[in-house]
Structures are given as structure tokens and as C-alpha cells.
Amino acid sequence: MMRLPSFRFAQVETIEEAAALLAKDPDNTRLVAGGTDLWPNMKRRHQQAETVVSLAKIPGLTGISGDGKAATTIGAMTTLTDIASSEFMQANYPGVVRAVASISAPVLRNMGTIGGNLCLDTRCTYYNQNEEWRRSIDYCMKEKGSTCWVAPSSSRCWAISASDAAPVLCAINAEVELVSKNGKRTIPLADLYQDDGINYLLKSRDEILTRLILPTPGTWKATYWKLRRRGSIDFPVLGVGAAMNFAPDGSVQDARIFLGAVRSAPTRCEASEQAIIGAQLNESNIAEAATCARKASSPLDNTDFVVNWRKKMVERYVEGALRELGNLPETVKSPPHGNWAQ
């Protein structure tokens, strides 16, 4: 049986108290929301802390606030189940709901939070093993070692971004609110990430993600396509978050396409976007956009499935997502995305 290591557990009741504790010793303090990522990681000794600060009892960090006429805010402690089962979210942000409903299984969505999923630790075949296995081959760069076993000659870690919510939320240009002892700031969600498997979040270590801010409903038409081995439970091997809006003549006025689980941060496919902006979606420009996405992805052999097949599926899934948004006949089978009502 894997057991948690010893640590001090702080149950705070205000965001100011949490921020003060985090600022006191950010290197040895961790925040816990639903705990579906942190507790298993601590049991496997992937992550360690002298103090764990729980955000569970802080008022104002849960709930969905919106009237459909302006931006919508979601508290970082709002559970994935509450988002996926919300009739308001289903009606106004179906692409976001699809992504959230695809995360893990109902029992974990009941505990997991949207803030936790956005800050999810990066993953890798060589990192996400038990401690004995990792020690037997020598620890990787992400933990105590100096070598990335995916790319031994590399000077950086290539663990992948495994958040399902992030790609589609980046695509619709969502924002997040960050709070620290020194104040608060709001940034585009896409600016929260950087392509580094170890230092994958660009927020300061003493900042707390408190709110997610979605654009006014109708601003973007969005979807999410997820590749995984099983129809539920599994982390993504590929996630495609695509969003666009259309001009009155049906042409694509703007588009944003982000890939998840191919690099250490959600990866924007700007060449794919340019292939479709200013024209009506058709077989030719969708194929060009899909090819550009494959070139931008560059997945490595650090998760499930063969790399070359994963690269090909980038192309197929981007094609499927764009055809869905353009209401074109389906040529790629849409993957299962979970039951919203669970």
C-alpha cells in the first residue's frame, strides 16, 4: 500500500491566509483543491511538501456566475461534475463541457476541480511510475536526476501537458485570475503555460489560481476531441481544442486551435488557423490546416501509443474537429466524451 509522507496540513478559511502561508515558504508548500492529482503524486513521491494548504473551506471559490449576456466566471474550486452537469454551461459552452466531461471517471470528477485540472502536473512514461521503478533506472530530470529518458541528450524535460480543459479554454481565449500576498492579476489562460515539463506554469510559486473567466457566450463556437486508449478514465494522448467564429457570409472570421498532450504546454497551431481564416471551410483548407497541425505537434515517445501513429492522429483529429465546427459531413469518427449527466 502506498502511504502519504508526513506533512503539516493547513485548513484555511480565507484566500489571504492561504496566500500568506504560500508566500512564507513557496518551495516547500503545496496547495490542494480536490486532491485527485496531488495525493497520488505524493504517495508515489513524485511531489513532496512540508506543508499542504487546503482551499476547500474558502468561500467564494466555487460556483458558476453568468447570465449569458456577458463574461462567465467559474470559481477555481468548482468541481468538474458541477461544470459538466450545469445546464447553463451545456447551453452556452458545450465545447468546454465536452472537455470537462471527458476527464477521468464520475467519482473523480466529483472531487476534481477546474483549477486543479488547469494546474495539473505534467506527465511522462518515465516519471509516472512507482518510486521503486524510477529508482531502479535512475531518476529522471523531472525528479532527482539529470537525464531526460525520453531524449537523453536534451537539456530540458519533455513531460507532456495532460489537462483536458486547457486546450479548449485556451482556444476560446479564457482568462484566469491569480492571487498572491502582493495582490491579484488577470491573464489569458494560454499565458499561464510554457513548454517546459518541469516549470510548466508561468505563474509565480506564491500565486493561487482563484477564478476562470470565459468570454461572452456566442463569441466562439468551440469543440474538443480527445484521443485515449479507453473510452473513459484515461489521460489524453492527444487533445484538440478548436474554436472559431464566422462572418455573415459563412467564412471563418477568426480561429484558434490548441493541441494538448503533445508537448509540455497546450500548443497553438497558428499555421493551421491561417489556413482557414478568411475563407469558408472546405475539403482543401481543412486538409491544409490538419497537415500544419501535424507539423506543429512533434510528440515524443513519452506516453501511450506509437509516436508515428499519434502524429497521424493529430491530423485526423484536427480534421474531425474542424469539420464538426463547419457542419460538414463526418469523415472521422467522433470519440466518446463521457456522460454530461453523471
Side-chain angles (χ1 to χ4, degrees):
M1 177 184 294
M2 295 187 296
R3 298 183 182 277
L4 285 168
S6 297
F7 58 88
R8 176 194 175 208
F9 185 73
Q11 185 85 66
V12 299
E13 296 185 356
T14 68
I15 196 67
E16 290 78 15
E17 187 179 356
L21 282 173
L22 190 57
K24 187 176 181 180
D25 188 7
D27 292 334
N28 296 300
T29 304
R30 291 191 181 274
L31 303 172
V32 65
T36 58
D37 191 51
L38 180 64
W39 297 141
N41 282 350
M42 290 185 68
K43 286 181 178 181
R44 291 190 297 262
R45 306 307 190 259
H46 288 129
Q47 296 174 313
Q48 306 199 18
E50 293 180 7
T51 301
V52 175
V53 179
S54 172
L55 305 178
K57 290 189 175 182
I58 299 178
L61 291 187
T62 61
I64 301 166
S65 178
D67 59 7
K69 300 177 182 178
T72 299
T73 61
I74 303 177
M77 287 292 293
T78 305
T79 67
L80 303 172
T81 293
D82 284 347
I83 294 172
S85 61
S86 164
E87 293 184 2
F88 173 82
M89 291 296 294
Q90 291 173 15
N92 293 286
Y93 303 97
V96 175
V97 169
R98 179 185 282 188
V100 169
S102 76
I103 297 169
S104 192
V107 66
L108 292 178
R109 290 196 294 272
N110 290 343
M111 288 293 297
T113 66
I114 188 62
N117 189 258
L118 294 178
C119 295
L120 199 66
D121 192 21
T122 52
R123 298 180 61 82
C124 174
T125 300
Y126 293 90
Y127 174 69
N128 292 99
Q129 304 290 340
N130 62 44
E131 203 275 338
E132 291 80 6
W133 189 96
R134 302 195 311 278
R135 186 174 64 235
S136 70
I137 67 165
D138 196 7
Y139 297 105
C140 72
M141 183 185 293
K142 185 169 167 64
E143 196 174 2
K144 304 172 185 176
S146 58
T147 302
C148 173
W149 293 114
V150 175
S153 62
S154 175
S155 60
R156 55 154 291 184
C157 168
W158 292 91
I160 62 170
S161 172
S163 169
D164 280 302
V168 70
L169 287 169
C170 287
I172 66 172
N173 210 19
E175 298 179 325
V176 288
E177 179 185 82
L178 303 172
V179 174
S180 72
K181 187 178 179 181
N182 298 319
K184 68 175 64 174
R185 64 189 179 114
T186 300
I187 63 170
L189 175 61
D191 290 350
L192 181 66
Y193 304 104
Q194 67 176 346
D195 193 21
D196 183 318
I198 298 172
N199 300 308
Y200 56 95
L201 295 178
L202 280 172
K203 72 180 184 67
S204 300
R205 294 181 69 87
D206 65 344
E207 286 185 306
I208 304 170
L209 194 159
T210 55
R211 291 197 307 165
L212 173 66
I213 304 162
L214 309 186
T216 303
T219 306
W220 295 96
K221 182 179 181 182
T223 190
Y224 180 71
W225 281 47
K226 176 177 182 174
L227 174 65
R228 53 186 165 184
R229 184 170 290 276
R230 296 173 290 184
S232 64
I233 307 293
D234 293 340
F235 283 97
V237 177
L238 166 67
V240 177
M244 60 183 67
N245 55 51
F246 296 89
D249 65 357
S251 63
V252 178
Q253 189 166 287
D254 199 2
R256 289 167 63 91
I257 302 169
F258 282 79
L259 304 180
V262 296
R263 298 182 70 88
S264 301
T267 301
R268 187 172 181 182
C269 302
E270 295 186 74
S272 299
E273 298 165 3
Q274 292 305 312
I276 58 177
I277 290 175
Q280 295 188 0
L281 289 174
N282 56 51
E283 303 287 342
S284 178
N285 58 24
I286 288 178
E288 182 183 352
T291 299
C292 290
R294 180 178 180 177
K295 293 177 181 177
S297 63
S298 303
L300 296 176
D301 191 15
N302 53 1
T303 189
D304 200 7
F305 296 127
V306 177
V307 171
N308 287 337
W309 185 77
R310 288 169 58 207
K311 290 180 180 178
K312 182 63 178 176
M313 292 308 291
V314 169
E315 199 169 344
R316 298 291 285 162
Y317 268 44
V318 168
E319 176 189 342
L322 296 183
R323 293 184 74 91
E324 178 191 341
L325 291 177
N327 296 318
L328 298 176
E330 185 179 87
T331 59
V332 180
K333 182 175 175 58
S334 177
H337 294 286
N339 186 340
W340 293 354
Q342 289 181 326

